[in-house]
Amino acid sequence: MTTPIMKSPLTITDLVDWGVIPTMIEGESRTSGKLLYKGPEGRSECGLWVCTPGKWHCHVTRDEFCHFLEGRCTYVHQSGEIIEIEPDTAAFFPQDWKGVCTVHETIKKVYMIR
């Protein structure tokens, strides 16, 4: 097996439309991306994810590490914790993290889910 790599993720434009976030509160955030790797039975995956502005309920169903490359958004955990995301921010969202995400400027991130 070869090692999957993604060079210069900020310059990638050949994205696949992944649709609208299904738990929208305000607006219509559209997502797109490019899958770098998907493990056996879909247990893990990594790639590039892009999301347009809007506000939605967020439930992280598996551990997810994100490195945000572009854009600005705010995550508010159900406990009230506020996480401000700007370019070059890394974050880890544990399984069952719940809250609200507001995308202020289209975000682009590389991610790993397991």
Side-chain angles (χ1 to χ4, degrees), residues 79-93:
S79 70
E81 175 191 24
I82 298 171
I83 304 161
E84 296 291 347
I85 301 293
E86 57 189 30
D88 204 21
T89 299
F92 174 73
F93 295 93

Side-chain angles (χ1 to χ4, degrees), residues 38-106:
K38 192 163 193 109
E41 301 169 16
R43 287 190 303 252
S44 65
E45 75 175 59
C46 59
L48 178 68
W49 188 75
V50 177
C51 183
T52 62
K55 181 177 184 177
W56 72 89
H57 293 286
C58 181
H59 177 200
V60 178
T61 58
R62 294 181 286 157
D63 288 344
E64 181 174 357
F65 172 79
C66 308
H67 182 196
F68 293 85
L69 305 170
E70 281 185 339
R72 292 178 12 84
C73 64
T74 304
Y75 287 89
V76 180
H77 187 266
Q78 62 187 6
S79 70
E81 175 191 24
I82 298 171
I83 304 161
E84 296 291 347
I85 301 293
E86 57 189 30
D88 204 21
T89 299
F92 174 73
F93 295 93
Q95 181 177 347
D96 288 327
W97 188 99
K98 292 180 183 177
V100 172
C101 177
T102 303
V103 176
H104 310 290
E105 299 169 7
T106 298

Side-chain angles (χ1 to χ4, degrees), residues 17-59:
D17 182 3
W18 290 346
V20 176
I21 299 280
T23 56
M24 293 302 306
I25 299 169
E26 295 173 9
E28 186 179 85
S29 292
R30 293 201 65 82
T31 64
S32 58
K34 184 167 186 134
L35 194 61
L36 178 62
Y37 174 79
K38 192 163 193 109
E41 301 169 16
R43 287 190 303 252
S44 65
E45 75 175 59
C46 59
L48 178 68
W49 188 75
V50 177
C51 183
T52 62
K55 181 177 184 177
W56 72 89
H57 293 286
C58 181
H59 177 200

